[in-house]
Amino acid sequence: DVVMTQSPLSLPVTLGQPASISCRSSQSLVHSDGNTYLNWFQQRPGQSPRRLIYKVSNRDSGVPDRFSGSGSGTDFTLKISRVEAEDVAVYYCMQGIHWPWTFGQGTKVEIK
Amino acid sequence: EVQVVESGGGLVQPGESLRLSCAASGFTFNNYWMTWVRQAPGKGLEWVASVNHDGSEKYYVDSVKGQFTISRDNAQNSLYLQMSSLRAEDTAVYYCARHPAPGTVDCWGQGTLVTVSS
């Protein structure tokens, strides 16, 4: 199975400051169709997960542009340019190319 | 509005069976792959199973192979997860989600809690 490793697992951030989460996969996530199937999800306390980013860097409708995804191959990053209070959540990366699909362990973003 | 609503969770004893349902609305159900994901209390997300448009292709995480069966009824716009021989480690909130495109899921429901305990 593809192992997805996130770091850090806990990220205290000052309001208005940037935050960055790393996600590394144990195998390449580049499909033969040329796409890279790496997703980012946000799960706020007490809520269901919500997709933020798909195919590495495509933001979902309604997702603030302070969220951005980047990376290639096996190394990916989710960045929040200026953290707001509503960004307190656990963030998960997930690969959707190799069965079984797998998630990272989750990174908890909290306000310092 | 695109929506999925899970149901069927509850408290069961070890070794018992349970069937979860997911009712879809607001989109053409038979055009989409569907997935179940679970989350044990206080833990992260775990992909459980996926099924293609017509139910002819199914994929499972190793830990539930032979124990869980994913299925769908396109006429009823419904997704199912038949769970048997339940164990304490199957205790989790179970979410269903839609595949809007290859390699991704969106439109998560609120989840249904399954508790396996004597």
Side-chain angles (χ1 to χ4, degrees):
Chain A
D1 298 358
V2 176
V3 177
M4 305 296 287
T5 303
Q6 288 182 228
S7 63
L9 299 185
S10 178
L11 184 55
V13 185
T14 300
L15 284 173
Q17 293 301 302
S20 181
I21 301 170
S22 170
C23 174
R24 289 192 166 92
S25 58
S26 62
Q27 297 179 34
S28 173
L29 302 186
V30 181
H31 195 273
S32 56
D33 65 8
N35 291 307
T36 300
Y37 293 115
L38 184 282
N39 305 270
W40 289 98
F41 297 90
Q42 176 194 61
Q43 188 174 32
R44 291 174 171 145
Q47 294 188 14
S48 301
R50 163 201 182 195
R51 192 180 69 173
L52 295 178
I53 303 275
Y54 60 97
K55 287 195 289 186
V56 181
S57 59
N58 294 272
R59 236 184 349 261
D60 266 271
S61 171
V63 173
D65 61 8
R66 63 179 180 274
F67 288 92
S68 64
S70 63
S72 63
T74 61
D75 202 347
F76 306 94
T77 302
L78 176 70
K79 291 182 179 174
I80 310 173
S81 59
R82 293 173 305 278
V83 171
E84 298 189 5
E86 66 178 16
D87 301 335
V88 168
V90 180
Y91 294 83
Y92 296 92
C93 60
M94 185 202 82
Q95 64 85 13
I97 177 176
H98 303 286
W99 300 107
W101 289 6
T102 45
F103 290 89
Q105 316 97 301
T107 295
K108 187 174 185 178
V109 171
E110 57 188 14
I111 304 302
K112 220 185 265 185
Chain B
E1 181 193 0
V2 174
Q3 192 175 10
V4 295
V5 178
E6 303 92 340
S7 62
L11 173 63
V12 295
Q13 296 197 346
E16 292 186 339
S17 299
L18 202 60
R19 188 176 88 150
L20 305 183
S21 300
C22 169
S25 60
F27 62 98
T28 305
F29 183 70
N30 61 12
N31 283 352
Y32 294 86
W33 285 60
M34 296 293 293
T35 277
W36 288 99
V37 173
R38 67 183 177 183
Q39 185 170 35
K43 302 296 184 183
L45 300 171
E46 180 184 37
W47 173 85
V48 173
S50 294
V51 62
N52 73 338
H53 314 81
D54 62 5
S56 61
E57 277 185 70
K58 301 176 183 181
Y59 297 89
Y60 299 92
V61 67
D62 282 351
S63 59
V64 308
K65 278 181 185 173
Q67 182 192 4
F68 289 6
T69 301
I70 188 171
S71 64
R72 62 191 297 158
D73 183 338
N74 287 341
Q76 298 293 322
N77 291 338
S78 293
L79 175 73
Y80 304 103
L81 188 67
Q82 178 67 48
M83 305 184 295
S84 61
S85 304
L86 284 162
R87 306 180 280 249
E89 52 265 39
D90 296 316
T91 293
V93 174
Y94 285 74
Y95 297 100
C96 84
R98 180 187 73 161
H99 295 220
T104 190
V105 290
D106 71 354
C107 187
W108 299 64
Q110 287 305 300
T112 187
L113 175 62
V114 173
T115 304
V116 184
S117 175
S118 55

